[in-house]
Amino acid sequence: MSDQTTERGLILLVDDDRLLCELQERWLQQAGFTTRVFHDGESCIAALAEVLPDAVCLDLVLPGLSGLDTLSRIKEHHPNLPVVVMTAHAAVETAVQAIKLGAYDYLEKPVDRTKFVTEIQNTVERNRMSVRLAQLEREVGGGGYSGIVGESPQIKDMFRQLDRIATSNITVLIHGESGTGKELVARAIHTHSTRSAKAFVPLSCAAVPESLQESELFGHEKGAFTGATSRRQGVFERAHGGTVLLDEIGELSPSLQAKLLRVLQERSFQRVGGTGQISSDFRLVAATHRDLTEEVRQGRFREDLYFRVAVFELIVPPLRERPSDIPLLATHFLSAFSGGKPNAPLQLSSEALRVVTGYSWPGNVRELQNAIERAVVVARDRTIRPGDLPRRIRTREAWTSETSVLPETTTPQTTSPVPEPADASPQAQTLDEIERDAIIAALARHNGNISRVVRELGIGRTTLYRKLKRYKIKE
């Protein structure tokens, strides 16, 4: 990614005139830019799946795919990528046509050094200013990004990276612990891309048995194996024109890693039991909670496949590293789970807010979401209090010194719960809480089936209904 992180930017030069390319490349490098040179349109388009340039300088007279067709293909999947076209003086009408196709500007050949470098500098700076303006507009509008909630510096930095990569066709590898929202980030990339009108097809590699991974990826023909009673499309076929998310890609078997590498290189594959080649135009977004560089070192993940999927690496920060987002997320989930429900909680008490802010959240955003959902179910009135939160969250041993906002205690090893409101009886509250949690857990295990719940708990149906009413638990 070093080419993509230079201060001045990465410029792609596309021209079959090799001497002119060498000259322009020298000019741009002396001006501080990084460059890559291509002598035909097809190779430039292929490279855009692996690089993220700041601008393209495109000659309109090319062998094979014409300059205008190359421009059209670039703008199809990279609408925000500025393209400056080069044309001979006698072909100004062609340049005007290029502008209509989305070119940023055009230069007539021959062009001198000062004019050429100045045009590229201005193009890059104006494009960066437009991206920054879009970022500021989003921040003023509330700071969210396609359902991703947060205002911490870490999340804002991730938003800036999403702005840069979403409208490209580049392959992305998302790193993050379990529960951080990697799939939500992948959906945001798809939603803000030119592929948003087509399918977003996620597949959790960890959730699919190794014997079925090939079928899930590539599909199968009828009779290909026992149980294959009909033809089935795989994720790559269903995602034609759209985006594939391979979640937990590190869980793919070694044989599937080799086949996936071939698909990424050729964009074609065979169904299991099939003979014909199937082509698919898809964008790949992969995600993992593992350190794939270590997996490569240990021989569990192919190095060549790693380089193919890790073209642009995006890190989703764990919740403990952005504690300022916890109250915002808690309020967001509270609003979502309370919507449309009569007498549902509307706010967190100050004590409950201190608890959720002080907890380390090893399960990240997913754990916070589940805790708020549970609290909405068990809360007795319109306010969520510490007693409505799961017990593990209320024990001081789970709190981290980095995020805790409570006063320090002289006995940090204690596991006593955070005190309840003064009007509650500590002993009765503990007994009630145990009983309420047991009922909620049984209801969850049996999907609200009352007959099964009363059998498991060993109580009568009337008694259960009385306790549901007492604890204000909605079935």
Side-chain angles (χ1 to χ4, degrees):
M1 294 302 300
S2 60
D3 283 354
Q4 300 169 22
T5 56
T6 54
E7 182 178 352
R8 296 304 300 270
L10 170 64
I11 310 300
L12 304 190
L13 296 172
V14 189
D15 199 319
D16 63 336
D17 187 333
R18 297 175 183 270
L19 291 178
L20 180 60
C21 276
E22 291 179 6
L23 182 62
Q24 292 176 343
E25 186 176 25
R26 190 181 311 120
W27 290 347
L28 291 175
Q29 290 177 353
Q30 290 174 350
F33 289 99
T34 301
T35 58
R36 288 191 61 176
V37 174
F38 305 92
H39 300 300
D40 59 79
E42 290 92 339
S43 59
C44 173
I45 292 169
L48 285 173
E50 300 180 357
V51 295
L52 194 61
D54 290 271
V56 175
C57 182
L58 173 68
D59 185 35
L60 290 180
V61 180
L62 294 172
L65 192 68
S66 71
L68 288 178
D69 288 339
T70 300
L71 172 63
S72 180
R73 293 269 297 276
I74 290 174
K75 301 306 288 187
E76 180 181 357
H77 291 305
H78 310 269
N80 295 335
L81 176 60
V83 180
V84 176
V85 298
M86 303 280 291
T87 181
H89 176 71
V92 173
E93 291 183 1
T94 306
V96 173
Q97 187 177 353
I99 296 295
K100 292 179 180 179
L101 288 174
Y104 185 85
D105 204 347
Y106 74 92
L107 291 171
E108 293 184 31
K109 291 183 177 180
V111 61
D112 63 44
R113 171 176 179 166
T114 301
K115 186 174 182 179
F116 177 76
V117 173
T118 300
E119 177 67 22
I120 298 299
Q121 287 175 333
N122 291 340
T123 298
V124 170
E125 289 304 316
R126 288 172 186 170
N127 187 59
R128 288 180 175 177
M129 287 178 63
S130 66
V131 171
R132 180 56 182 156
L133 180 60
Q135 293 169 352
L136 291 173
E137 289 175 347
R138 187 189 63 249
E139 291 173 6
V140 171
Y145 199 111
S146 295
I148 306 172
V149 177
E151 295 182 350
S152 63
Q154 297 92 328
I155 285 296
K156 286 184 177 180
D157 180 64
M158 188 181 77
F159 289 166
R160 285 190 288 270
Q161 294 184 68
L162 287 173
D163 281 330
R164 189 178 182 205
I165 66 176
T167 57
S168 74
N169 204 37
I170 197 169
T171 301
V172 181
L173 177 61
I174 303 173
H175 294 274
E177 298 176 6
S178 295
T180 51
K182 297 187 291 294
E183 181 171 341
L184 192 61
V185 172
R187 287 184 181 274
I189 292 173
H190 174 75
T191 299
H192 289 265
S193 74
T194 57
R195 299 173 176 268
S196 59
K198 300 294 184 178
F200 173 82
V201 186
L203 176 67
S204 174
C205 301
V208 180
E210 184 174 335
S211 59
L212 296 177
Q213 286 181 350
E214 185 173 4
S215 173
E216 289 293 327
L217 289 173
F218 311 127
H220 62 253
E221 299 289 351
K222 181 179 179 179
F225 50 85
T226 302
T229 58
S230 61
R231 172 184 288 178
R232 186 175 188 274
Q233 293 183 337
V235 295
F236 292 118
E237 193 170 354
R238 299 202 304 274
H240 178 64
T243 305
V244 171
L245 167 63
L246 294 185
D247 197 8
E248 298 304 344
I249 192 173
E251 305 302 324
L252 281 179
S253 66
S255 62
L256 260 295
Q257 291 178 28
K259 292 182 178 180
L260 175 60
L261 178 64
R262 183 179 179 87
V263 172
L264 296 180
Q265 291 171 338
E266 301 181 2
R267 285 305 197 263
S268 65
F269 52 89
Q270 291 179 342
R271 297 193 190 103
V272 177
T275 57
Q277 287 290 323
I278 300 171
S279 297
S280 179
D281 171 28
F282 61 88
R283 180 184 190 176
L284 177 66
V285 178
T288 181
H289 77 282
R290 297 183 181 276
D291 181 352
L292 289 189
T293 56
E294 178 62 20
E295 295 295 297
V296 169
R297 193 178 72 83
Q298 295 293 334
R300 293 189 290 264
F301 198 83
R302 293 179 61 107
E303 184 176 35
D304 46 5
L305 179 58
Y306 171 73
F307 290 132
R308 276 282 179 176
V309 300
V311 177
F312 191 101
E313 299 187 73
L314 186 68
I315 298 176
V316 185
L319 192 52
R320 64 180 175 275
E321 292 183 3
R322 50 185 186 110
S324 61
D325 286 335
I326 294 175
L328 190 64
L329 283 162
T331 302
H332 169 76
F333 291 135
L334 178 59
S335 175
F337 292 128
S338 299
K341 298 179 181 179
N343 301 319
L346 296 177
Q347 62 181 353
L348 279 78
S349 69
S350 57
E351 295 86 356
L353 190 58
R354 289 199 306 159
V355 171
V356 298
T357 305
Y359 182 58
S360 62
W361 299 108
N364 292 296
V365 178
R366 183 186 297 126
E367 185 183 10
L368 174 60
Q369 179 180 4
N370 293 339
I372 298 299
E373 183 176 17
R374 185 256 194 201
V376 169
V377 173
V378 304
R380 292 181 173 83
D381 52 37
R382 307 282 277 179
T383 300
I384 289 178
R385 295 182 171 81
D388 302 319
L389 298 165
R391 180 180 297 276
R392 68 182 182 280
I393 295 174
R394 304 194 311 273
T395 55
R396 284 195 174 96
E397 67 176 4
W399 293 30
T400 61
S401 59
E402 292 87 353
T403 60
S404 178
V405 295
L406 290 184
E408 293 186 2
T409 175
T410 57
T411 56
Q413 288 75 26
T414 180
T415 60
S416 59
V418 176
E420 298 293 329
D423 59 349
S425 169
Q427 183 177 0
Q429 175 65 30
T430 300
L431 294 174
D432 285 351
E433 191 172 356
I434 292 172
E435 186 173 59
R436 186 170 69 251
D437 286 351
I439 293 172
I440 292 171
L443 285 167
R445 280 193 295 272
H446 298 295
N447 296 319
N449 188 307
I450 296 298
S451 298
R452 294 178 181 177
V453 171
V454 296
R455 283 199 298 270
E456 177 182 325
L457 297 179
I459 60 177
R461 184 180 292 264
T462 302
T463 302
L464 177 60
Y465 279 123
R466 186 171 62 250
K467 292 183 180 296
L468 291 175
K469 182 177 181 180
R470 175 186 176 186
Y471 296 132
K472 295 184 179 180
I473 300 174
K474 299 176 180 63
E475 297 173 37

